[in-house]
Amino acid sequence: MTSTQIKSMANEPPTPASTNPPSPAKRRKLTGRAFFQNLGSPKMVLAPMVDQSEFAWRMLTRSFMSPEASKDLLAYTPMIHSRMFTETPKFRDHHFQPTRSGLATPPKNDIEQPSADLYLDGRPTIDRPLFVQFCANDPDELLQAARYVEPFCDAIDLNLGCPQGIAKRGNYGAFLQEDWDLIYKLINKLHMNLDIPVTVKMRILESKEKTLEYAQMILSAGASVITVHGRHRDQKGHKTGLADWSVLRYLRERLPPDTVIFANGNILRHEDIYRCLEETHADGVMSAEGNLYDPTIFAKPPRSGSETREYWRGRNGKGGYRMDAVFRRYMDILYQYVLEKPTPKRNPLFLPSDPPVEDPPTTLHGPASEDTDGQPPTKKQKRDNKQQRTTSPNLLAMQPHLFHLLRPLVAKHHHIRDALGKSRAGDIPAFENVLQMVEAAVKEGLLDYEADPAKYEDADLHSNGKEQEEEEENPNKDSSSVATVKACKRPWWVCQPYVRPLLKEALEKGSLTMSKKDKRRLEAEAVVEKKRLEAEGKNVFEHPERERAEMTEREKVDAEDGLARRELPKQSMVCG
């Protein structure tokens, strides 16, 4: 058992292991592979995600890794808009919080911050290695933004991967890939003027040869690391499809051996990380949406027989971390670091072997202590709630994170979905109430499994060995998402990836309709893709960006403060 697990069971928030990063004081600049090796050559990378790779989530992700393994994880901040970051102090305070005193002016990089003033983002002992990602289209603005965060991170990353329409209107992300001269200037400006390296996250272009030329230009401008998302710019939404690992392998074999490459795309489970490393020969593997649905994706599962209360394993050998355990850790991290309050006293997580105890009362509308006699809130209560609205990026991200994490659970328990939907950012008692409801639901699931395990186990798992062998050798098994769903499926109380249907499956089921022109084009593309998959035997993994029709908590807060985010992605939390 790790020290982190022991602390969790003792009702103490888990403390991520120190990664022994460079001091915030001025450091000798390393680039390329020397820089990567100085970081410890991390093979696992937590992706930059719009409003969703904030400090608390990074801490949660790290907390499931052993002290030794945590040194192998590199994390990125959410994407930050460089111009808005430099122009508006409120925007800086809302998106990057390395010190308690804020970032009124760019700090001097050669002066170490007083330890008492250090707060969250980039804390040397717990939140490193850390790269800060910006989107930009002006070299001077990008450099100015980078100056603010330079003392609190290990590198600055330029987003060249965001495929959303709003990125097209704002002229950043993947929509800069036609302007190689501007991209060169953006990268080189940072390379020549910062004391830390610059890295780049890009997408593949229309051909392997063009992608290679593109990567060579980026490296020549001064990029020390390139992260390659193996999808084209138009692969988004229902068109996401598979990331093409063959392009990443092509780059690896043709770029200089000392080039550091991170692979991005098709990472749903812990096992996929090693398969990607083997197939692409990349230096590290990045996970985005896979991490959102399962923040334990980078952690190795415990050996059979050594499971704690946090980890569940079925009689068929399949297992994963329990949602109530991950939710509880998440809350404890928020208490310890963000709220800086004592963690509530908690009972041990339930096991079917435990003696019966009475479940705590819960409510659908917020904290159980709230006394409104069933009446709607008064105008004064509404006004007070509005005044108490938080601007902390860590609290604003809670609800979307929990909808990702609890997706299979809330699909079954609609009352928990409703309670979570009514929980507002900063209303910690409301989220504590949802946690109690989740713990009760998981208890129900565990007891139901003990009573009838077969109900939760795929009948195909008990097929004879010959049938399983034929399925594994079937080259057409990846023409649908069925095999992937089967491999990833766990009981609804266990953290697990969300596998979306392929485009053709959505069309066949009638859940998606398209114009005749699009249908003809997609049918032609499907024929080509099918032939390619049959020839290369690729597995089906999908990571489409999640469309969001409503304004997020973050956008509501920023709108009230006059920080309209018309240039930031609204339809995607996984950007790049």
Side-chain angles (χ1 to χ4, degrees):
M1 185 184 300
T2 67
S3 59
T4 298
Q5 291 169 329
I6 293 174
K7 288 184 179 180
S8 178
M9 294 181 66
N11 296 324
E12 294 181 12
T15 302
S18 170
T19 52
N20 298 320
S23 166
K26 188 168 183 178
R27 63 207 101 163
R28 183 172 65 91
K29 182 174 180 178
L30 299 174
T31 58
R33 188 157 297 277
F35 163 67
F36 179 63
Q37 292 172 341
N38 188 59
L39 293 179
S41 303
K43 291 182 174 59
M44 302 181 191
V45 186
L46 174 56
M49 296 175 282
V50 176
D51 298 338
Q52 294 285 272
S53 55
E54 78 293 341
F55 173 85
W57 194 257
R58 299 194 297 267
M59 293 300 99
L60 178 65
T61 300
R62 294 185 193 277
S63 74
F64 285 94
M65 306 177 72
S66 67
E68 185 63 31
S70 66
K71 299 175 183 178
D72 209 27
L73 178 67
L74 161 68
Y76 284 64
T77 66
M79 186 194 77
I80 303 173
H81 194 288
S82 61
R83 180 181 57 78
M84 298 173 73
F85 193 77
T86 58
E87 290 181 352
T88 314
K90 283 185 178 179
F91 187 88
R92 289 196 293 275
D93 293 340
H94 288 193
H95 292 81
F96 196 72
Q97 300 177 326
T99 66
R100 300 178 188 279
S101 56
L103 296 174
T105 58
K108 294 181 179 179
N109 199 39
D110 58 346
I111 298 179
E112 185 172 356
Q113 290 288 333
S115 59
D117 194 38
L118 294 176
Y119 185 37
L120 299 177
D121 296 294
R123 278 178 63 171
T125 56
I126 57 175
D127 192 28
R128 304 287 275 274
L130 179 69
F131 290 4
V132 176
Q133 188 187 71
F134 287 102
C135 66
N137 55 29
D138 182 284
D140 293 327
E141 288 178 351
L142 178 58
L143 177 60
Q144 187 177 356
R147 292 289 195 200
Y148 280 97
V149 304
E150 186 178 9
F152 311 105
C153 64
D154 297 286
I156 302 297
D157 187 76
L158 174 64
N159 185 328
L160 296 179
C162 183
Q164 299 298 316
I166 198 148
K168 182 177 182 179
R169 293 190 293 275
N171 191 35
Y172 62 81
F175 296 94
L176 293 181
Q177 65 188 30
E178 282 81 21
D179 193 345
W180 289 20
D181 182 60
L182 175 58
I183 290 176
Y184 186 96
K185 291 177 180 177
L186 288 165
I187 299 169
N188 194 251
K189 187 79 170 184
L190 298 186
H191 176 61
M192 299 301 293
N193 292 278
L194 292 181
D195 291 328
I196 58 176
V198 55
T199 66
V200 171
K201 189 168 188 287
M202 55 173 274
R203 286 193 171 223
I204 62 176
L205 303 187
E206 62 271 16
S207 68
K208 293 181 178 179
E209 293 77 15
K210 193 69 174 178
T211 304
L212 174 61
E213 186 181 355
Y214 186 44
Q216 289 171 333
M217 179 275 296
I218 288 172
L219 292 169
S220 70
S224 288
V225 178
I226 55 171
T227 299
V228 185
H229 187 158
R231 292 184 175 93
H232 300 284
R233 184 173 61 194
D234 61 348
Q235 286 185 271
K236 56 186 177 180
H238 291 296
K239 302 177 183 178
T240 299
L242 295 172
D244 190 348
W245 286 356
S246 69
V247 179
L248 278 66
R249 180 64 175 265
Y250 178 87
L251 295 179
R252 172 77 285 169
E253 292 174 346
R254 287 160 179 79
L255 290 172
D258 61 346
T259 302
V260 181
I261 301 176
F262 294 158
N264 182 210
N266 300 353
I267 308 301
L268 290 179
R269 301 172 297 164
H270 185 75
E271 301 92 314
D272 300 329
I273 296 172
Y274 302 101
R275 191 167 61 85
C276 183
L277 287 170
E278 182 179 356
E279 291 192 22
T280 66
H281 288 189
D283 296 284
V285 175
M286 176 180 286
S287 174
E289 197 174 53
N291 169 263
L292 287 182
Y293 288 99
D294 183 5
T296 73
I297 190 171
F298 296 112
K300 289 184 177 180
R303 296 187 304 274
S304 180
S306 63
E307 300 88 355
T308 66
R309 289 176 180 262
E310 293 185 309
Y311 193 92
W312 178 90
R313 197 187 305 271
R315 67 177 187 178
N316 59 11
K318 285 190 173 184
Y321 282 91
R322 293 166 42 170
M323 290 180 181
D324 56 346
V326 178
F327 191 169
R328 183 183 282 194
R329 276 205 191 193
Y330 183 36
M331 293 295 295
D332 291 353
I333 285 171
L334 289 167
Y335 278 112
Q336 179 179 355
Y337 294 108
V338 180
L339 301 173
E340 297 182 303
K341 295 180 179 179
T343 303
K345 184 177 180 181
R346 306 190 190 281
N347 294 322
L349 292 168
F350 171 79
L351 287 178
S353 58
D354 290 341
V357 294
E358 184 178 351
D359 291 329
T362 59
T363 173
L364 298 185
H365 304 288
S369 61
E370 190 176 80
D371 184 12
T372 60
D373 296 326
Q375 299 299 317
T378 64
K379 289 183 178 179
K380 182 178 184 301
Q381 287 173 330
K382 291 181 178 179
R383 185 167 58 252
D384 290 343
N385 289 337
K386 185 175 181 180
Q387 291 173 349
Q388 295 172 0
R389 173 167 280 176
T390 181
T391 60
S392 167
N394 297 281
L395 301 182
L396 289 168
M398 289 181 68
Q399 189 188 66
H401 272 313
L402 291 172
F403 269 119
H404 279 101
L405 175 70
L406 303 175
R407 188 180 188 279
L409 187 147
V410 299
K412 178 178 176 65
H413 294 83
H414 294 175
H415 65 295
I416 300 179
R417 178 197 62 195
D418 295 340
L420 179 56
K422 294 174 182 177
S423 301
R424 294 292 172 255
D427 189 353
I428 298 300
F431 286 103
E432 278 287 343
N433 181 66
V434 176
L435 173 57
Q436 292 179 14
M437 298 171 74
V438 169
E439 290 179 354
V442 173
K443 176 181 178 180
E444 169 194 313
L446 293 173
L447 290 174
D448 195 39
Y449 180 88
E450 290 296 313
D452 186 8
K455 183 191 303 185
Y456 295 92
E457 294 173 358
D458 192 334
D460 291 338
L461 291 175
H462 303 290
S463 61
N464 59 51
K466 181 179 179 181
E467 291 174 340
Q468 293 184 12
E469 184 177 347
E470 289 176 352
E471 181 182 272
E472 292 173 359
E473 294 179 355
N474 180 8
N476 297 320
K477 70 175 183 177
D478 294 328
S479 61
S480 76
S481 61
V482 176
T484 305
V485 171
K486 183 177 176 181
C488 296
K489 185 69 174 178
R490 299 292 186 272
W492 51 262
W493 60 83
V494 175
C495 293
Q496 56 195 278
Y498 172 43
V499 182
R500 303 173 189 266
L502 296 177
L503 173 60
K504 66 176 183 179
E505 293 172 331
L507 291 171
E508 291 171 356
K509 293 178 180 179
S511 58
L512 175 67
T513 58
M514 292 187 169
S515 65
K516 294 181 179 179
K517 179 180 178 180
D518 283 341
K519 286 182 179 179
R520 290 193 297 269
R521 178 176 55 80
L522 289 172
E523 287 172 357
E525 291 177 355
V527 172
V528 175
E529 180 67 8
K530 181 178 180 180
K531 291 180 179 179
R532 185 182 70 80
L533 290 174
E534 290 176 347
E536 300 181 4
K538 290 291 179 182
N539 284 333
V540 176
F541 290 93
E542 290 204 318
H543 290 282
E545 281 74 13
R546 177 184 178 186
E547 296 182 357
R548 304 177 69 194
E550 298 181 356
M551 182 178 286
T552 66
E553 288 284 339
R554 153 65 64 201
E555 290 169 326
K556 291 176 184 176
V557 170
D558 286 348
E560 288 186 0
D561 284 344
L563 305 178
R565 305 180 73 224
R566 288 184 289 272
E567 296 183 46
L568 288 179
K570 180 179 178 180
Q571 298 178 332
S572 169
M573 288 183 293
V574 182
C575 181

